[in-house]
């Protein structure tokens, strides 16, 4: 059975949602406290949403120095599947595991609403089960979600097919409507929307399933 | 010796600054004319124990680049002295 570790930083608040989404899809999942130095036996790691270390300084700036991040970088560099959702995405960019940065939303508004995403690449562990161009209804819930990068980085993102998801109607001022990106290899993915909150039509949408199922069936070599 | 050091972090040129832009737009309504541009940022005031000024600056520069700023979107400037503080 696939085993997923969900990292908890002080201030994370979507860890239970992520954990229950994983178990709902048939995976085994448990929590990893941020001060852990080693992670073993996992097929994938999720950095959940929230406000790690209170988002002081910048979202993700302090979380990047949590002891577990060294182990996660090693895991990612060995090809392990790593998914950063919302604050987890911010942590991954601060840690240098994903390119670019997340800035305050255009208009300085905290946004909590459903969004329509368009699958831009199926190369990543999060989107390989989806179809390019597929539209997904998945909510966002963030203040600093405007994806930003310099021109050189942007050219590389396009050239390497690293833009994973785009907003259909850009809610936050993200460059080129970017909602999620991957590393060059596609095994590390970050996105601002919350697929773990789109697991049931009773709660608005189950479009998160196709993404999280992809994440679970990603071939992994790291553990 | 203790040296006062101030680190100022601002968004890099060309990076959108919604906070600065919002303040800029609000100023005329508040009766402040003549302001043609606003860029928002942060400043950090530290006391650094070091052998000399150069060491204090080097220490502050390293931490400004590694922690206080995100080089992807921000610039950090480091200077000796902190107008808000007197050296204890």
């Amino acid at each position: 059975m696939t085993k997923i570790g969900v990292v908890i930083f002080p201030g994370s608040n979507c860890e239970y949602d992520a954990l229950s989404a994983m178990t709902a899809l048939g995976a085994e999942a448990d929590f990893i406290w941020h001060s852990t130095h080693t992670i073993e036996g996992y097929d994938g790691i999720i950095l959940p949403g929230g406000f790690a270390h209170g988002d002081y300084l910048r979202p993700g700036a302090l979380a990047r120095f949590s002891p577990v991040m060294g182990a996660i970088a090693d895991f990612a560099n060995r090809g392990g599947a790593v998914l950063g959702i919302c604050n987890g995405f911010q942590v991954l960019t601060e840690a240098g595991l994903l390119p670019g940065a997340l800035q305050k939303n255009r208009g300085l508004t905290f946004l909590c609403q459903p969004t329509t995403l368009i699958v831009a690449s199926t190369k990543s562990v999060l989107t390989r089960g989806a179809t390019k161009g597929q539209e997904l209804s998945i909510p966002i819930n963030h203040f600093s979600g405007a994806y930003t990068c310099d021109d050189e980085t942007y050219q590389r993102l396009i050239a390497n097919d690293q833009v994973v998801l785009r907003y259909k109607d850009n809610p936050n001022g993200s460059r080129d409507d970017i909602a999620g990106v991957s590393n060059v290899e596609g095994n590390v993915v970050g996105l601002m929307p919350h697929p773990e909150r789109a697991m049931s039509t009773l709660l608005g949408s189950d479009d998160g399933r196709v993404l999280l199922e992809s994440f679970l069936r990603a071939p992994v070599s790291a553990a | 010796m203790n040296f006062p050091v101030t680190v100022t972090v601002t968004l890099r040129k060309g990076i959108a600054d919604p906070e600065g832009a919002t303040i800029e737009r609000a100023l005329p309504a508040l009766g402040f004319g003549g302001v043609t541009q606003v860029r928002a940022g942060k400043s950090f005031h530290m006391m650094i124990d070091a052998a000399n000024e150069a060491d204090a600056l080097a220490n502050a520069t390293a931490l400004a680049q590694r922690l206080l700023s995100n080089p992807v979107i921000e610039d950090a400037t480091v200077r000796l002295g902190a107008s808000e503080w007197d050296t204890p």
Side-chain angles (χ1 to χ4, degrees):
Chain A
M1 185 192 264
T2 308
K3 189 177 175 192
I4 302 298
V6 178
V7 178
I8 307 181
F9 298 98
S12 296
N13 63 16
C14 300
E15 66 272 21
Y16 280 93
D17 307 59
L19 192 91
S20 85
M22 290 297 102
T23 52
L25 293 174
E28 188 186 336
D30 61 17
F31 291 131
I32 301 171
W33 181 237
H34 79 114
S35 61
T36 309
H37 284 84
T38 56
I39 49 174
E40 272 169 32
Y42 293 102
D43 300 306
I45 298 292
I46 294 181
L47 280 67
F51 301 85
H53 297 275
D55 271 2
Y56 290 120
L57 200 54
R58 296 179 303 281
L62 300 178
R64 168 198 168 190
F65 294 101
S66 278
V68 75
M69 289 308 296
I72 288 174
D74 291 343
F75 182 81
N77 291 334
R78 291 198 304 269
V82 178
L83 172 62
I85 300 169
C86 196
N87 191 227
F89 184 15
Q90 296 162 337
V91 174
L92 290 174
T93 59
E94 283 282 341
L97 291 171
L98 287 174
L102 283 311
Q103 254 198 297
K104 291 188 179 85
N105 295 340
R106 174 182 60 200
L108 294 176
T109 310
F110 190 99
L111 297 170
C112 181
Q113 62 194 51
T115 60
T116 302
L117 304 179
I118 300 171
V119 177
S121 164
T122 53
K123 206 186 78 173
S124 79
V125 290
L126 189 68
T127 50
R128 64 178 64 196
T131 312
K132 196 167 172 168
Q134 186 176 356
E135 294 192 3
L136 303 170
S137 175
I138 294 184
I140 55 170
N141 186 42
H142 61 244
F143 185 70
S144 293
Y147 185 80
T148 308
C149 62
D150 60 26
D151 292 342
E152 193 192 327
T153 305
Y154 176 74
Q155 298 306 334
R156 266 188 285 125
L157 286 178
I158 298 299
N160 296 321
D161 203 15
Q162 287 173 258
V163 178
V164 170
L165 294 159
R166 285 196 174 85
Y167 299 106
K168 190 173 183 188
D169 296 304
N170 192 337
N172 57 18
S174 285
R175 180 166 191 169
D176 194 21
D177 308 332
I178 291 172
V181 300
S182 74
N183 63 350
V184 174
E185 294 76 15
N187 63 306
V188 180
V189 186
L191 77 168
M192 289 310 297
H194 287 268
E196 83 284 14
R197 295 188 192 175
M199 291 291 293
S200 162
T201 50
L202 264 179
L203 299 175
S205 168
D206 65 355
D207 288 354
R209 284 176 171 263
V210 64
L211 299 179
L212 297 175
E213 277 166 358
S214 298
F215 182 69
L216 285 178
R217 72 178 174 80
V220 283
S221 53
Chain B
M1 245 186 108
N2 251 333
F3 296 93
V5 174
T6 299
V7 177
T8 306
V9 177
T10 47
L11 287 163
R12 274 170 54 182
K13 209 178 164 192
I15 299 285
D17 176 8
E19 210 167 347
T22 303
I23 295 167
E24 193 180 311
R25 280 199 305 276
L27 287 175
L30 295 171
F32 295 98
V35 181
T36 55
Q37 198 186 5
V38 178
R39 298 284 283 174
K42 297 176 196 167
S43 70
F44 301 88
H45 307 274
M46 294 172 282
M47 299 301 295
I48 296 188
D49 184 22
N52 52 51
E53 286 186 355
D55 286 359
L57 268 181
N59 190 354
T61 303
L63 79 88
Q65 285 167 357
R66 181 121 191 272
L67 174 65
L68 299 181
S69 69
N70 178 348
V72 175
I73 49 172
E74 295 170 326
D75 284 325
T77 56
V78 182
R79 66 175 175 83
L80 273 173
S83 54
E84 291 82 355
W85 287 10
D86 290 320
T87 310

